[in-house]
Each structure stands twice: as structure tokens, then as C-alpha cells.
Amino acid sequence: MIYADNAATTKMSQAAIDKMVSLMNDTYGNPSSLYRFGQKAKEALEEARETVASVIGAESREILFTSGGSEADNQAIRSAALLGKEKGKTHIVSTKFEHHAVLHTLAKLEKEGFTVTLLDVHEDGLVRPEEVEAAITDQTALVTIMYANNEIGTIQPISEIGRICRVKKVLFHTDAVQAIGHLPINVVEQNIDMLSASGHKFHGPKGTGFLYARKGIKLSNLIEGGAQERGKRAGTENVPAIASMAVALKEAANKMEKTSAYLTEKRNKLIDGLSKIEHSALNGDAEKRLPSNVNFCFEGIEGESLLLLLDEKGIAASSGSACTSGSLDPSHVLLAIGRVHDVAHGSLRLSLGEDVTDEDIDYMVKSVEEVVTYLRGFSPIWRDLQAGKKQFIL
Ligand SMILES: *Cc1c(COP(=O)(O)O)cnc(C)c1O
């Protein structure tokens, strides 16, 4: 079995599991309690906060633990929107290929009276900093642009966008869920005001994540109640899971360079192999992409059938994001980079794990080739293309 869907979620690392179990056994106090049981849990919580902060160059008081990336995105965007509104600023700049946690929050804010500019993403899957700059007005409260895209893996020019936002005095949030633990990040050097992260994308537990908000930025609550997390997120913290996430992040950061070099080589080998399939195309820039991400379109087939047949061959892949698969609409990300509906339907994402071998890559190339050929064999679209009744796009 080859698990090639690490952009959807990752397997927990053994160190993260061990940490979680150890705290569940021994450190079950409530971190808000004053007696020793509670204080031990509080120590574990604050140690995790320091670890997480140190990995991104932040201070620990700038880290707020959440239930994951979606919650962090919601809270960052809502907080910035409210701060803007207090100053009469009701415009937000983002892009068309954000995660739905961002896009749906922005859609709600539009209904509440905000104006949202969603920038186009170019064919290479990259946002242009000069277009971000041009979209900012004196009404702009927030720029929110993802660090690396979850479907096509393209890495955005975050440092340049951060610099522009700082000069223009506009808050800058980045959904760094796909990047953190996989790419080097420094929130100070990159002028990032707010950043969202999720534990289960870097071998930590599901249901964990955090929001970094630069000191001085006033967050508003999504959840009201007790005074946990400096009063900004009520509810008893899941200490074992949070501590486990911190261990996973530290581990990922420590071996990042090595993992990245290894995966880049395997990714390029996979891209080379799949490129040989006729009428196929890589989605997104070949270089400015996550070391783990491969995303292709194959003309004349359906991504869903491709996935099911690959599953039979023991390969777990995705045809878009976990959030959109199951619906028959083509991926909003592929449409945003200009793929037409027919082509966007035949997409395949393989997101590699650190344990992938050369034999796995060879097996994936061979299996995808077989399945694509098989599916094209009875595809009416493919027949029309072959007969010249329809023009090939790829
Ligand atoms: C997975 C993901 C999220 C959501 O994170 P959860 O922890 O699952 O809520 C948000 N943004 C991106 C880019 C993601 O890949």
C-alpha cells in the first residue's frame, strides 16, 4: 500500500504518539487549576507554545492554540475584519485558489458588508506581488494569501507580499497549513502578521493547530467562555494533543532540509515519469512547489474513476482536496489557474510521504499509465478527441 495523500493528512510520527500517550497517562490535570496536577499540565502547554513559537521565529505569547487550520483561518480573518471595520476599512484582498476555510469565511463577510477582491492566479499557480499591491486601497483591512497551495503545491512569494503589506500598513495573514514543517518560515523576516497552522499536516494529531498573531494585534473570539488562551479561545486546552503537535513540528523542522532534498528528487522523478503519458500536463510551476506535491491533468478521463482504480492497485491518491472530492464539481484551484472544466475533471494529486522509495515511484508511474490508458479506452470524450470531433487541449 502506498499512501500518497499526505496533503490531506499525514501519519502521526512515533515521537508525537509517544508524547501524547505519556501525557494522557500522567499529565491529565486541567492547566487552569492551581494545584500541582494542573500546574504540570500548564507547564506542558507552555513548553509546547515555546517550541511552536521558536520554529517560526515568534514569541510564545503570540501563539494561540486552536482546533486546527480551519479555526485559525476563521479567527484570523474575522479578527482582522473587525479591526478594520473599527477604522472604517471594509475591503479584503485574497486569491481565487485559497482553502475553503478562507474562501467561505470571506463569502460570509461579504454578506456582512465587506468588499472582497479575489486575485487571479496565473497559469503557473503563482500570485503576482505587483497585483497584490495594485489591489490594495486605503480601504483595505487585510490581505490573506496562502503560503503553499494544498492542491497544486505552488509556493507563493510570501516575503514580497509581506513587504508590500508592511509598507502599505495593511495586515497580512497567511494560511501556512501546507508549508509549516515543510518549508522554512520566519514571521519576523517575512513580515507576516498572522499565520495559520494545522498539526495533522506535519505528522501531529488531528484536531490541533495554532494561530500566530503578532503582538499588538487584537484578536476577537470565535468561542466565548473561560479565560483560556489569554481569553481569546475558551475551552480547556487539549494538552496531550497540543504537546504532541509541538513535538511533531520540532521533529519536522529539525529534519526539514534532509526531507526536502530527498522528496524533491523523488517528486521530480515522478513528474518525469508521468509527463511521458500523452495529453497530460503538470499543474503549477515545476520548481516553486512543495517537495511532496505532484498534480497532473490527463485529458479524456475522470479523476474519480482514476482514484478508485488506483486504490485497487494499492495507491491512495486524491483528485483535488479532501474537502471537494465527493462532489462532482471540478476543483476551484484548477479552474483558477485556467484549466477548462473537461480538463480539470481529469486531475490527480499525489502528495508524497518521507518514506517513499524509488520502487514506489516506478510503481506509481506504471499504475497511473495503465489506469489512464484503460479509462481512455471507453471514454466518449477520448473517442471524440481521437476522431478529431474535439480539439486536444493538452
Ligand atoms: C488542511 C488545510 C486546512 C484545514 O486544516 P484543518 O486542521 O483540517 O482544519 C486549511 N488550509 C489548508 C491550506 C489546508 O491544507
Side-chain angles (χ1 to χ4, degrees):
M1 189 70 199
I2 301 174
Y3 182 72
D5 203 12
N6 287 273
T9 197
T10 58
K11 179 183 168 171
M12 279 180 75
S13 81
Q14 194 54 50
I17 294 174
D18 292 346
K19 182 74 175 181
M20 191 147 161
V21 170
S22 131
L23 265 77
M24 286 161 92
N25 277 318
D26 306 325
T27 317
Y28 51 83
N30 187 321
S32 299
S33 301
L34 293 177
Y35 43 76
R36 261 172 295 166
F37 262 82
Q39 288 313 296
K40 215 178 139 202
K42 173 95 178 154
E43 274 165 33
L45 185 65
E46 294 317 314
E47 188 189 318
R49 205 183 304 280
E50 269 166 40
T51 304
V52 165
S54 72
V55 170
I56 58 166
E59 291 174 28
S60 54
R61 63 179 164 145
E62 297 173 315
I63 304 295
L64 179 93
F65 292 119
T66 66
S67 67
S70 300
E71 185 186 333
D73 282 340
N74 274 257
Q75 189 164 10
I77 293 168
R78 286 230 160 246
S79 299
L82 204 67
L83 284 170
K85 200 172 172 187
E86 283 166 6
K87 294 187 216 151
K89 296 183 178 189
T90 55
H91 176 233
I92 299 171
V93 177
S94 188
T95 75
K96 287 185 181 158
F97 80 157
E98 298 298 311
H99 190 271
H100 284 129
V102 169
L103 289 177
H104 291 173
T105 304
L106 294 176
K108 267 202 160 169
L109 286 170
E110 261 185 325
K111 287 200 184 128
E112 294 166 24
F114 285 83
T115 316
V116 177
T117 303
L118 293 183
L119 295 171
D120 278 321
V121 184
H122 291 244
E123 221 180 274
D124 55 11
L126 298 168
V127 176
R128 301 289 186 269
E130 58 274 22
E131 291 177 14
V132 177
E133 185 165 19
I136 296 174
T137 70
D138 54 9
Q139 281 296 300
T140 308
L142 170 73
V143 170
T144 173
I145 294 177
M146 71 199 319
Y147 205 117
N149 183 270
N150 48 306
E151 289 186 33
I152 56 174
T154 48
I155 302 166
Q156 305 308 312
I158 291 301
S159 302
E160 287 160 63
I161 297 169
R163 204 176 312 125
I164 290 165
C165 292
R166 192 54 58 87
V167 170
K168 298 254 185 190
K169 297 190 168 64
V170 175
L171 283 180
F172 175 44
H173 165 254
T174 185
D175 173 340
V177 171
Q178 290 290 331
I180 189 158
H182 305 280
L183 300 172
I185 296 180
N186 185 299
V187 290
V188 176
E189 287 167 13
Q190 296 179 285
N191 291 310
I192 297 168
D193 295 312
M194 289 190 276
L195 173 146
S196 305
S198 169
H200 74 98
K201 305 286 174 77
F202 51 75
H203 306 287
K206 290 162 190 52
T208 60
F210 64 89
L211 170 60
Y212 151 80
R214 188 166 52 76
K215 52 183 177 290
I217 296 173
K218 195 172 147 243
L219 293 175
S220 36
N221 291 48
L222 297 179
I223 302 170
E224 304 290 347
Q228 291 92 352
E229 299 299 292
R230 303 168 70 88
K232 297 302 173 198
R233 205 262 183 191
T236 304
E237 293 93 343
N238 185 350
V239 179
I242 290 170
S244 167
M245 166 177 69
V247 164
L249 182 58
K250 188 76 193 161
E251 205 181 12
N254 286 345
K255 59 179 187 188
M256 187 184 298
E257 232 175 291
K258 225 174 117 193
T259 310
S260 168
Y262 181 79
L263 281 179
T264 301
E265 191 219 315
K266 299 291 175 266
R267 177 199 73 192
N268 292 346
K269 186 175 150 87
L270 182 55
I271 291 176
D272 283 349
L274 295 180
S275 300
K276 298 200 175 86
I277 299 176
E278 59 173 353
H279 303 292
S280 72
L282 177 71
N283 291 311
D285 194 87
E287 308 281 327
K288 289 178 183 144
R289 68 190 303 129
L290 292 168
S292 55
N293 179 290
V294 173
N295 189 314
F296 266 80
C297 278
F298 302 101
E299 209 162 356
I301 59 161
E302 287 272 347
E304 277 76 16
S305 356
L306 186 56
L307 286 194
L308 294 176
L309 292 173
L310 285 177
D311 186 33
E312 280 181 19
K313 290 181 181 285
I315 300 169
S318 156
S319 73
S321 71
C323 325
T324 42
S325 48
S327 81
L328 283 174
D329 289 337
S331 136
H332 71 289
V333 172
L334 296 178
L335 296 180
I337 65 167
R339 294 283 186 220
V340 297
H341 272 71
D342 273 3
V343 169
H345 264 304
S347 68
L348 173 71
R349 178 185 72 187
L350 294 160
S351 43
L352 308 176
E354 280 118 77
D355 53 354
V356 73
T357 62
D358 279 324
E359 292 75 60
D360 292 342
I361 301 287
D362 291 339
Y363 181 70
M364 283 192 266
V365 172
K366 183 173 147 273
S367 304
V368 174
E369 256 173 357
E370 284 171 7
V371 171
V372 167
T373 308
Y374 172 75
L375 287 173
R376 281 175 174 170
F378 52 84
S379 151
I381 299 175
W382 185 252
R383 204 179 314 128
D384 286 353
L385 287 164
Q386 291 286 336
K389 287 188 203 153
K390 240 176 124 111
Q391 291 287 315
F392 278 108
I393 296 163
L394 303 179

